[in-house]
Amino acid sequence: MRFLSVRLIVSLILGITLVTLGFSWKQVTAQKQGLRSDLERHAEEVADSLANTLEPYVESGSKRQLDRAVQRFESRQQLNGVAVYDKQGTPIAITAGLTDRLPTEPAVAARAMASDRGTGEFVHVGDLLLHVYAVPLHAHDAAVDALVIVHDASYIRVQSAHVWRETFVRVLVQVFLIVLITVLIVRWSIVGPIAQAAQWMRALRTGKGAIPSGVPNLDLLRPLAREMETMAKSLRTARSAAEKEAQLRDAAESIWTADRLSAHVRSRLGDQPLFVVSNREPYAHTRKGKSLEVVVPPSGLVTALEPILYACDGTWIAHGSGDADREVVDKHDRLRVPPDDPRYTLRRVWLSKEQEEGYYFGFANEGLWPLCHIAHARPIFRASDWEHYREVNQRFADTVLEEMADTERPLLLAQDYHFALLPRLVKKKRPDARVAIFWHIPWPTAEMFSICPYQRELMDGLLGADLVGFHIQQHCNNFLESVDRTLESRVDWERFAVTREEHRTVVKPFPISVQFGEPSAEDDHLNAYDDRVALLRELGVSASLLGVGVDRVDYTKGILERFLAVERLLERYPAYRGKFAFIQIGAPSRTHIKRYHDLLGEVEVEADRINWRFQEGSWKPIILLKWQHSHREIQRYYRVADICLVTSLHDGMNLVAKEFVAARTDEQGVLILSQFTGAARELRDALIVNPYDTEQLAESLRFALEMPAEERQARMRRMRKSIKENNVYRWAANLITELSDLRVASTDSERPSENWNSVA
Ligand code: G6P
């Protein structure tokens, strides 16, 4: 640092000196020029006036009068001498002493006579600087003699030297002051913060001593501070992942982590490029006043797929639905995400209002959604919605193909019921691509599926994929039966695969899951009881026992059914009145659809009805929070609740159940879980219920509230172990492993295996 300061100071001194000297030189030169011009003008005036006096004597040939007039001028200020020369260069009249300085006729005299004009020049004589000016003297209109005026110009040199001296002193003082001020500024604003930053980074690197949570205030170096913050975050994550890995190795466990998944993906895929397609984008940009906000949808999908995309710097293609999405993409509609630590590419696809209406709200959510969920909502199939669905699938397929254009053997993970037609569209153009589609919702029975007017097209589209994934085996079975009834194909029930037109599609269950974090230091500080008191105070409610439900307000989630169970509990067991409260977090969803819009109202009316019936003072049985909560906010409810109620009428998996278990680092809380969720197959220690059976549901609430602490802990511990081992990273790893292991029939030599067992 000291070496740096010396270099800095020397450079400053040199720089300032050179600049100041440059300016001074210009100033001195200008001043010198000014003095010279003044002198020249003065000499001209003197010469003109003397010439007027002398010309009559020249005309008359009176040398004596001429000489006398010349001598009279000798005493003039700064005038060094006056002389008159004839054409031969002989002095006709000359002031005393001038002969010594100008022993011969000055050149300007002859030039003045020859040109018949006044001429001047500066000449050096010994140490002296003289200005010699000559004008012609006329007789009978002819220049016959020359009058020479000599001035001593040495004072110009003296004055210039004086200016230089002054400049020198000024430069000295300036340099001193500027260097002093700069050094102080550098010390305060740069060296100090850098030293602080270095100390902070050393603490971070060595992991010794307390690492301050925020980066130091780096003042001018704010952009650097931001980068440091990100780097620190990555380092902390990497370090804790490494520690966790080491612990796991030590315990000989094989738990999947984001890092392990990344390493696995890299070793599996090598340089094969990866593409993901989903309807929802992982990051949406919205405008809030003048600033842009990044919104991450509260979806498990982002958590699961991001580590894969990180590992191979993949591309995620999704509908750009944020109102400011177009403002941040490049000319190819791409941007790098996550915005504060870019690791992969997001390619946004734009849809018109009509397309979104027909494809998303219409066919996907009013057609396929009720078709696949047994929730007694009638699917609506409009021909115009179907047209939009086809159009949008084609649009996404074209985008995928465009993104894949310069790649070899790409992998595509398509997500969900929005893209049933896309696998075929992609595969037709890129047979070398490995294509998987994961269906996140249930697959209905073959009878139910057969009501869909577009069943053949949907099936054909899906069978374009090399791999079709569902959450549970039951959905795979339903799917294969539907294939069997819908299309000409060979179903291999032993290997769970379909062969159609020489293309083979493997159908497998991959139960999706959640992240499973170990209890953090933050958890240790959390006291569930205190936090529950604080939370209830914030909500303005008093209760000593708490249940929670977290759902999109969707008719498949059984929200009304669980309200009825709460009502029944209070009817049958009045002791819980004033004590037990149920908080329902209900995020409004797909509200452009009438069924969803009506449901929002129905849920509110039902909660009001039950509350009106039972509420006393500041207690009421149902607290309905009808807005989207962040993942972090929801964690708080999970942690303070005695019970989590998941009463879906039908659900592919249901991640709320798993999130609740993952959040309970205290190994407390009871999960009540619908038997119609995929999660019920794994979480056998939940209280498994039929949400249509209000009596049973009310009883299970009482059972949960009265369950001994040891039993609660034992059940929760077992469920946590199951989710820890089968977390979301394992889901992603299994999907990638299966897909990368598949043989792709892109060449004749790679025809599908004939070793199948057809029931067709
Ligand atoms: C279901 C689907 C997901 C979807 C989610 C939210 O779980 O399987 O693909 O993202 O609902 O629905 P939304 O329509 O808001 O994306």
Side-chain angles (χ1 to χ4, degrees):
M1 191 55 80
R2 179 152 301 158
F3 175 63
L4 192 74
S5 311
V6 171
R7 268 175 50 171
L8 181 80
I9 291 167
V10 171
S11 326
L12 258 176
I13 293 177
L14 277 177
I16 298 167
T17 309
L18 282 175
V19 171
T20 317
L21 285 181
F23 279 115
S24 303
W25 178 81
K26 274 204 85 171
Q27 191 185 341
V28 171
T29 313
Q31 191 187 30
K32 214 158 125 186
Q33 200 50 48
L35 288 171
R36 280 173 166 238
S37 306
D38 286 350
L39 183 56
E40 279 166 347
R41 218 171 20 254
H42 176 70
E44 241 177 273
E45 282 164 10
V46 171
D48 285 347
S49 96
L50 186 54
N52 285 340
T53 313
L54 297 182
E55 264 182 343
Y57 305 131
V58 174
E59 186 105 42
S60 65
S62 172
K63 276 194 173 186
R64 216 161 54 84
Q65 280 178 308
L66 187 78
D67 191 45
R68 210 179 306 143
V70 165
Q71 298 306 336
R72 267 207 309 273
F73 260 80
E74 201 188 1
S75 54
R76 293 279 177 97
Q77 207 192 9
Q78 288 173 346
L79 198 60
N80 210 258
V82 181
V84 175
Y85 292 92
D86 63 14
K87 281 225 160 156
Q88 284 69 43
T90 315
I92 308 169
I94 189 161
T95 53
L98 187 59
T99 328
D100 296 342
R101 288 187 289 280
L102 293 175
T104 55
E105 180 201 32
V108 287
R111 284 212 298 275
M113 278 186 280
S115 62
D116 199 11
R117 281 199 297 116
T119 314
E121 68 180 4
F122 285 89
V123 293
H124 290 274
V125 177
D127 290 342
L128 284 179
L129 175 68
L130 300 178
H131 178 252
V132 184
Y133 186 76
V135 286
L137 293 175
H138 298 90
H140 312 296
D141 286 338
V144 291
D145 295 327
L147 167 63
V148 172
I149 305 285
V150 180
H151 278 100
D152 185 354
S154 302
Y155 73 94
I156 294 177
R157 281 212 302 226
V158 172
Q159 282 200 17
S160 299
H162 180 69
V163 173
W164 273 119
R165 248 193 325 276
E166 267 187 356
T167 304
F168 180 71
V169 173
R170 204 180 60 222
V171 168
L172 217 63
V173 174
Q174 251 175 19
V175 166
F176 175 73
L177 288 177
I178 293 177
V179 168
L180 185 71
I181 291 168
T182 312
V183 167
L184 289 179
I185 291 176
V186 168
R187 257 202 175 286
W188 284 330
S189 332
I190 301 176
V191 179
I194 286 182
Q196 249 182 301
Q199 199 181 354
W200 181 86
M201 285 170 93
R202 196 172 311 122
L204 187 71
R205 176 174 55 81
T206 55
K208 282 183 195 147
I211 304 170
S213 49
V215 285
N217 176 14
L218 291 193
D219 198 12
L220 295 173
L221 310 171
R222 233 165 280 140
L224 182 66
R226 273 197 293 273
E227 274 308 309
M228 283 165 59
E229 184 111 51
T230 313
M231 191 195 74
K233 246 189 243 158
S234 310
L235 195 61
R236 280 200 196 104
T237 315
R239 191 172 282 154
S240 87
E243 272 167 20
K244 220 171 280 165
E245 288 278 335
Q247 282 166 8
L248 294 176
R249 264 198 308 278
D250 200 34
E253 285 185 70
S254 63
I255 302 299
W256 283 90
T257 62
D259 294 292
R260 184 173 167 198
L261 174 61
S262 288
H264 178 75
V265 171
R266 267 195 295 270
S267 78
R268 276 284 168 164
L269 304 191
D271 56 1
Q272 277 174 274
L274 181 92
F275 300 86
V276 167
V277 183
S278 72
N279 174 65
R280 283 259 170 239
E281 53 184 344
Y283 298 92
H285 285 84
T286 56
R287 195 151 264 301
K288 222 177 187 187
K290 283 192 175 160
S291 57
L292 282 185
E293 247 187 23
V294 180
V295 182
V296 181
S299 138
L301 206 62
V302 183
T303 316
L305 295 177
E306 272 200 333
I308 310 183
L309 287 148
Y310 281 6
C312 49
D313 195 348
T315 302
W316 188 324
I317 298 146
H319 171 210
S321 56
D323 59 14
D325 273 0
R326 285 177 197 261
E327 295 176 38
V328 291
V329 293
D330 66 12
K331 62 176 192 292
H332 303 292
D333 299 327
R334 297 185 191 129
L335 76 156
R336 300 282 294 163
V337 288
D340 51 0
D341 183 18
R343 307 282 285 274
Y344 65 94
T345 301
L346 170 60
R347 166 80 194 264
R348 284 178 171 154
V349 177
W350 315 117
L351 300 179
S352 68
K353 228 181 167 138
E354 295 71 41
Q355 283 175 326
E356 199 183 344
E357 186 67 41
Y359 137 84
Y360 171 76
F361 288 110
F363 195 76
N365 286 317
E366 284 189 281
L368 290 179
W369 181 268
L371 177 74
C372 292
H373 290 90
I374 310 168
H376 312 287
R378 188 181 190 282
I380 301 172
F381 297 110
R382 299 180 196 93
S384 57
D385 289 347
W386 169 245
E387 274 318 306
H388 282 304
Y389 187 80
R390 279 175 37 164
E391 194 179 294
V392 172
N393 268 253
Q394 184 66 59
R395 182 141 173 52
F396 270 84
D398 291 344
T399 311
V400 169
L401 291 167
E402 192 184 310
E403 292 293 329
M404 282 180 175
D406 301 322
T407 65
E408 275 174 31
R409 298 178 303 124
L411 263 85
L412 173 65
L413 295 180
Q415 305 298 318
D416 232 343
Y417 59 102
H418 310 93
F419 297 114
L421 307 180
L422 183 132
R424 168 83 56 208
L425 296 171
V426 171
K427 197 73 181 179
K428 214 167 19 186
K429 294 272 164 60
R430 288 297 302 263
D432 65 318
R434 286 165 198 277
V435 178
I437 181 159
F438 191 80
W439 199 259
H440 289 259
I441 62 176
W443 188 272
T445 60
E447 284 77 18
M448 301 209 53
F449 182 66
S450 70
I451 69 167
C452 178
Y454 310 104
Q455 53 189 292
R456 292 181 62 81
E457 292 89 334
L458 289 172
M459 215 36 131
D460 181 61
L462 285 167
L463 292 179
D466 301 296
L467 177 65
V468 177
F470 293 98
H471 289 301
I472 57 173
Q473 186 62 51
Q474 177 69 52
H475 300 155
C476 298
N477 297 351
N478 288 352
F479 178 76
L480 289 180
E481 270 167 20
S482 303
V483 173
D484 210 5
R485 293 217 195 163
T486 320
L487 292 177
E488 190 97 352
S489 58
R490 291 177 302 207
V491 177
D492 176 352
W493 280 98
E494 240 172 57
R495 290 183 182 78
F496 287 93
V498 182
T499 304
R500 174 171 155 75
E501 290 166 2
E502 307 206 322
H503 175 255
R504 183 178 158 89
T505 304
V506 172
V507 180
K508 271 196 86 162
F510 299 92
I512 200 167
S513 192
V514 295
Q515 266 178 305
F516 187 92
E518 291 298 331
S520 67
E522 200 187 336
D523 296 327
D524 294 344
H525 296 305
L526 267 178
N527 176 326
Y529 177 76
D530 289 350
D531 200 29
R532 173 194 296 192
V533 173
L535 188 74
L536 287 172
R537 199 177 312 121
E538 284 164 35
L539 296 171
V541 181
S542 64
S544 52
L545 298 165
L546 217 53
V548 70
V550 181
D551 305 84
R552 285 182 305 103
V553 180
D554 191 301
Y555 52 85
T556 60
K557 300 294 178 184
I559 298 174
L560 295 174
E561 283 73 4
R562 77 185 71 151
F563 285 0
L564 291 180
V566 171
E567 182 182 30
R568 189 72 187 118
L569 172 83
L570 299 174
E571 267 171 11
R572 285 179 68 167
Y573 305 102
Y576 286 112
R577 296 184 193 175
K579 286 190 188 143
F580 175 70
F582 178 69
I583 301 177
Q584 175 64 49
I585 295 179
S589 170
R590 308 171 188 166
T591 46
H592 292 317
I593 299 173
K594 186 171 179 313
R595 186 74 191 85
Y596 284 82
H597 182 266
D598 292 349
L599 182 66
L600 260 182
E602 287 163 30
V603 164
E604 185 146 31
V605 167
E606 197 60 359
D608 277 352
R609 184 186 66 75
I610 297 168
N611 281 342
W612 174 249
R613 187 172 164 199
F614 294 104
Q615 79 188 41
E616 290 160 12
S618 60
W619 172 82
K620 60 179 176 178
I622 298 176
I623 301 146
L624 180 59
L625 308 176
K626 273 196 330 186
W627 66 90
Q628 176 88 54
H629 287 61
S630 70
H631 181 73
R632 204 184 157 78
E633 284 167 333
I634 292 171
Q635 292 298 307
R636 194 177 171 207
Y637 288 92
Y638 285 150
R639 288 195 170 124
V640 301
D642 298 291
I643 300 172
C644 178
L645 257 177
V646 176
T647 56
S648 307
L649 304 182
H650 201 189
D651 219 330
M653 174 52 72
N654 193 289
L655 290 181
V656 168
K658 292 189 172 180
E659 270 166 9
F660 173 68
V661 172
R664 296 313 296 249
T665 49
D666 61 352
E667 298 179 335
Q668 286 300 314
V670 180
L671 174 65
I672 297 180
L673 181 60
S674 160
Q675 66 187 82
F676 306 120
T677 60
R681 317 275 160 137
E682 293 173 77
L683 301 173
R684 309 304 305 180
D685 279 291
L687 302 184
I688 306 292
V689 293
N690 171 0
Y692 292 96
D693 186 344
T694 309
E695 297 299 318
Q696 185 204 34
L697 203 46
E699 274 309 313
S700 71
L701 273 172
R702 189 184 67 96
F703 189 73
L705 290 169
E706 292 173 10
M707 190 184 282
E710 309 78 61
E711 184 179 348
R712 274 202 309 261
Q713 188 178 38
R715 285 174 180 260
M716 185 53 82
R717 196 174 277 170
R718 285 194 292 267
M719 289 194 286
R720 283 176 62 77
K721 183 169 182 290
S722 157
I723 293 182
K724 184 178 177 181
E725 285 164 6
N726 299 294
N727 62 16
V728 70
Y729 302 119
R730 182 175 207 152
W731 171 80
N734 286 345
L735 200 58
I736 286 286
T737 309
E738 186 70 34
L739 186 60
S740 60
D741 277 349
L742 289 180
R743 289 178 62 202
V744 178
S746 59
T747 61
D748 284 343
S749 61
E750 283 184 347
R751 284 287 158 89
S753 156
E754 289 301 306
N755 186 12
W756 47 266
N757 177 13
S758 168
V759 292

